[in-house]
Amino acid sequence: MSRSLVQPIGQKRLTNVAVVRLKKHGMRFEIACYPNTVLSWRSGVEKDIDEVLQSHTVYSNVSKGVLAKSKDLNAAFGTDDQSKICLEILKKGELQVAGKERESILSSQFRDIATIVMQKTYNPETQRPYTISMIERLMKEIHFAVDPNSTSKKQALELIQELQKLFPIKRCPLRIRVAAPEEEVAALLEKLNVWKANIVSKEGSAGQLSVVFELEPGLYKDCHDFVMNNMHGRFEVLAHSLYVDGDTQVEQYNDYEDMPAPLPKETHESVLELNDKLQKQTISSSSTPTEGQQQKQNKCNTCNVSFEDAKLYREHHKSEWHKHNMKRKTRQLPPLTEEECMADMELGDSKSDLKDYSF
């Protein structure tokens, strides 16, 4: 009895890859990519296509190693150039990922969206910004679902509109400075009145008038086009998010939802004073400030400590000491020294370990 060699069927090949799938003209086309490179290529971080594609080959089923037929490629794409087709599939196709990897991507994007919303909004009732923990809780209450095929910024702006229907939440105003000839300022002020903008200061010099005002973000494009096209003036955005008075920015309060921060106070400083502040912030490293100014700039009001070096000051905000004092500050407790903080944290860890045992 003669035996024939039978080719095994159902054998899976190319399984440890990231598959990008595109359906076109009723047919399915797939390409095999290296894991964790597709999103980098789409965002512009990765430029070399050979670092993304495992092969310039179009499949009808990557896991089984079934190649796409040339007649199907011509019918769907109008060409059988597989390199061009791979680029189109990579750009428009749907990335197939494993369950845990998909969960990690969605969780990261969920956090990114919440961060953008936190930076762009505040509570008009309390005049304080929301923290990222509050935003995430509101997102879960309205059952917000992340769309992996849409950008985080676009989803954040859509989310703000949904949250405004149910919760007291408002976009942070843009602080803008416009410089224009004096004869054009009357038209600008009339427009600002229509837009209900809040004028902070006005300053005139050399036939020009500079106006600093706060405007709703939704009117940014109209204002920019009006100034640049109709007035031929100078347009500059001074601030677009909230900052906390004191030692740090609002982004560093992300994990402490009980630590609200006030809105920036309206100042009636002249434009010249604003220019001086901007110049001080961008002053070159060669200039040496006085000792009193340096201590004031590098002082942490939360931990009540000063630093001579700006690098040490920045690293301090990332330390467990600063984070622990932030938690104490939310509970209206005085700050601890670094040694007291370490002892308090060790005591807290020992208490949490005891909770794992039942006596």
Side-chain angles (χ1 to χ4, degrees):
M1 181 177 179
S2 61
R3 296 183 179 180
S4 60
L5 183 62
V6 179
Q7 179 71 22
I9 61 174
Q11 180 181 7
K12 292 190 175 183
R13 305 168 183 168
L14 297 175
T15 54
N16 189 24
V17 297
V19 179
V20 180
R21 179 182 301 166
L22 179 66
K23 289 185 179 180
K24 196 169 185 180
H25 284 253
M27 295 174 285
R28 184 179 69 180
F29 303 97
E30 298 178 349
I31 56 175
C33 304
Y34 292 103
N36 305 321
T37 58
V38 177
L39 296 179
S40 298
W41 186 85
R42 288 179 175 177
S43 61
V45 176
E46 180 61 60
K47 302 294 185 181
D48 190 357
I49 191 64
D50 292 327
E51 295 293 330
V52 181
L53 295 178
Q54 294 205 4
S55 65
H56 292 260
T57 307
V58 182
Y59 298 82
S60 60
N61 193 318
V62 169
S63 63
K64 295 183 179 180
V66 180
L67 300 178
K69 298 179 180 180
S70 296
K71 63 176 184 179
D72 294 338
L73 296 177
N74 283 316
F77 299 96
T79 180
D80 58 356
D81 188 342
Q82 301 214 6
S83 296
K84 293 182 179 179
I85 297 173
C86 285
L87 286 175
E88 183 175 346
I89 296 175
L90 186 61
K91 186 183 299 183
K92 301 179 182 179
E94 180 183 359
L95 177 62
Q96 308 294 310
V97 294
K100 289 186 177 180
E101 187 177 355
R102 182 184 297 107
E103 183 180 350
S104 175
I105 293 173
L106 293 179
S107 176
S108 176
Q109 192 170 6
F110 186 90
R111 182 82 173 184
D112 293 341
I113 294 172
T115 302
I116 295 173
V117 174
M118 178 204 68
Q119 293 172 346
K120 293 182 176 295
T121 60
Y122 70 99
N123 188 338
E125 295 181 355
T126 61
Q127 295 296 297
R128 296 174 183 271
Y130 289 97
T131 62
I132 191 169
S133 300
M134 294 178 182
I135 296 296
E136 288 180 341
R137 187 163 62 245
L138 296 180
M139 292 168 66
K140 293 176 181 177
E141 287 185 13
I142 66 173
H143 306 288
F144 175 77
V146 177
D147 182 4
N149 298 320
S150 181
T151 62
S152 298
K153 183 176 181 180
K154 180 181 178 181
Q155 295 185 73
L157 296 177
E158 294 173 351
L159 174 61
I160 292 174
Q161 295 179 358
E162 294 297 323
L163 292 176
Q164 287 176 339
K165 299 176 182 177
L166 302 173
F167 305 101
I169 187 169
K170 192 175 181 181
R171 289 284 301 273
C172 300
L174 295 173
R175 178 162 289 197
I176 299 172
R177 176 169 56 202
V178 172
E182 291 185 358
E183 59 271 14
E184 299 288 347
V185 173
L188 174 63
L189 296 178
E190 183 179 353
K191 276 289 186 180
L192 294 180
N193 187 32
V194 174
W195 291 330
K196 299 180 180 179
N198 178 32
I199 298 177
V200 177
S201 64
K202 291 186 289 186
E203 184 73 17
S205 60
Q208 279 197 340
L209 186 66
S210 296
V211 182
V212 178
F213 56 91
E214 292 181 345
L215 185 70
E216 288 292 329
L219 299 171
Y220 169 82
K221 188 176 185 303
D222 295 338
C223 182
H224 179 271
D225 293 343
F226 178 78
V227 172
M228 302 302 293
N229 298 333
N230 297 349
M231 300 179 56
H232 303 287
R234 189 163 57 89
F235 185 93
E236 182 181 1
V237 178
L238 300 179
H240 54 80
S241 59
L242 296 182
Y243 293 93
V244 178
D245 294 337
D247 58 313
T248 185
Q249 294 184 359
V250 71
E251 288 87 345
Q252 295 172 332
Y253 290 102
N254 288 352
D255 297 327
Y256 316 108
E257 57 182 277
D258 294 330
M259 187 61 193
L263 284 171
K265 298 179 180 179
E266 290 187 4
T267 59
H268 298 280
E269 300 170 324
S270 65
V271 176
L272 294 177
E273 291 173 338
L274 291 174
N275 285 333
D276 292 340
K277 286 189 175 182
L278 291 175
Q279 291 175 1
K280 288 179 181 178
Q281 291 176 359
T282 57
I283 193 168
S284 62
S285 58
S286 60
S287 60
T288 56
T290 61
E291 182 178 356
Q293 291 176 339
Q294 185 70 25
Q295 289 180 353
K296 185 177 180 180
Q297 291 176 356
N298 297 338
K299 182 178 180 180
C300 175
N301 295 331
T302 300
C303 302
N304 196 21
V305 63
S306 299
F307 298 89
E308 296 180 357
D309 187 7
K311 183 178 179 181
L312 295 176
Y313 173 68
R314 290 192 298 269
E315 292 177 353
H316 167 72
H317 288 289
K318 303 177 183 178
S319 67
E320 296 297 329
W321 176 23
H322 179 76
K323 293 178 181 179
H324 189 69
N325 275 334
M326 285 295 306
K327 294 180 181 180
R328 291 178 59 85
K329 190 173 182 180
T330 61
R331 300 194 297 269
Q332 305 298 324
L333 297 176
L336 300 177
T337 63
E338 187 172 8
E339 293 77 11
E340 293 172 342
C341 179
M342 294 299 107
D344 192 26
M345 292 173 60
E346 291 178 1
L347 180 61
D349 292 339
S350 62
K351 288 182 179 179
S352 62
D353 293 338
L354 290 175
K355 292 181 181 179
D356 297 333
Y357 299 92
S358 58
F359 297 95

